């Protein structure tokens, strides 16, 4: 999953007690608050799925169909164009489920945190770290202090770690991904291309 939230990069599932991954309580959260939450999430540009074919899949299937590289690319490009919006929509729905499971109070605190100067500073430091910069002791201490002050970010990170299961149980996602898969299989068959070993 893309870098949707700074906290998800800081806290890994291995560092969290397994009891926290249990089914969360159900809260009533308004659609308007969930809209506000999704709008406040950092790095929405990273949710965008590419409509280019996956390079490894492209190479694998081209190897099965020598001399037919153009045909293989055409089928996989159409398939990526079908699946990209399906995956993006499924991701957004999963984030709404994760947000709803936090409940309205935590959600409001999380929205405020993401809109704060404090978060922007923290996000800037994290961007440096992702580019390979080594954080100073003061930056590491600030990181720890801010995250300790915002347990709702850790709770969201825990929820994000279970988002694959949410997406897998999303009937709209399953239906639309199946439709894209069937269209791809039909396109390979029409073109008489081999796509399985």
């Amino acid at each position: 999953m893309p870098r949707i939230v700074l906290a998800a990069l800081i806290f890994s599932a291995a560092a969290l007690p397994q009891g926290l991954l249990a089914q969360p309580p159900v809260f009533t959260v308004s659609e308007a608050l969930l809209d506000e939450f999704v709008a406040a999430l950092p790095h929405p540009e990273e949710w965008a799925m590419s409509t280019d074919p996956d390079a490894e899949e492209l190479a694998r299937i081209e190897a099965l169909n020598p001399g037919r590289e153009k045909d293989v690319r055409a089928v996989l490009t159409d398939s990526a164009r079908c699946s990209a919006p399906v995956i993006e929509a499924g991701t957004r729905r999963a984030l709404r489920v994760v947000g709803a499971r936090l409940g309205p109070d935590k959600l409001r605190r999380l929205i405020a945190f993401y809109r704060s100067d404090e978060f922007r500073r923290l996000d800037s430091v994290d961007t440096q770290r992702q580019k390979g910069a080594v954080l100073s002791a003061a930056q590491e201490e600030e990181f720890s202090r801010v995250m300790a002050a915002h347990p709702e970010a850790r709770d969201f990170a825990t929820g994000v770690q279970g988002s694959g299961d949410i997406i897998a149980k999303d009937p709209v996602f399953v239906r639309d991904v199946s439709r894209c898969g069937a269209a791809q299989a039909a396109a390979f068959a029409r073109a008489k291309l081999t796509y399985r070993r």
Side-chain angles (χ1 to χ4, degrees), residues 89-169:
T91 299
R92 288 182 182 276
R93 285 191 303 275
L95 289 170
R96 293 174 77 86
V97 170
V98 171
R101 288 178 177 174
L102 291 175
D105 295 337
K106 284 184 182 179
L107 212 49
R108 286 186 188 97
R109 289 195 301 272
L110 198 53
I111 291 167
F113 175 52
Y114 286 141
R115 290 179 174 165
S116 70
D117 289 337
E118 182 178 51
F119 176 78
R120 281 187 280 285
R121 286 192 307 273
L122 201 64
D123 190 43
S124 175
V125 169
D126 186 63
T127 298
Q128 292 172 22
R129 178 171 37 194
Q130 292 207 16
K131 290 179 179 176
V134 177
L135 301 187
S136 68
Q139 287 174 317
E140 290 285 1
E141 186 178 323
E142 174 72 357
F143 225 87
S144 297
R145 183 197 65 73
V146 170
M147 294 316 301
H150 296 281
E152 63 278 0
R154 184 182 60 208
D155 293 344
F156 180 51
T158 302
V160 166
Q161 290 163 1
S163 61
D165 189 48
I166 294 168
I167 292 172
K169 292 178 180 174

Side-chain angles (χ1 to χ4, degrees), residues 11-22 154-155 158 161:
F11 299 104
S12 68
L16 294 167
Q18 290 302 308
L20 290 178
L21 298 176
R154 184 182 60 208
D155 293 344
T158 302
Q161 290 163 1

Side-chain angles (χ1 to χ4, degrees), residues 2-4 41-49 88 92 123:
R3 186 177 69 151
I4 2 179
L41 286 170
H43 307 291
E45 72 283 356
E46 294 180 2
W47 307 351
M49 297 300 298
E88 286 180 31
R92 288 182 182 276
D123 190 43

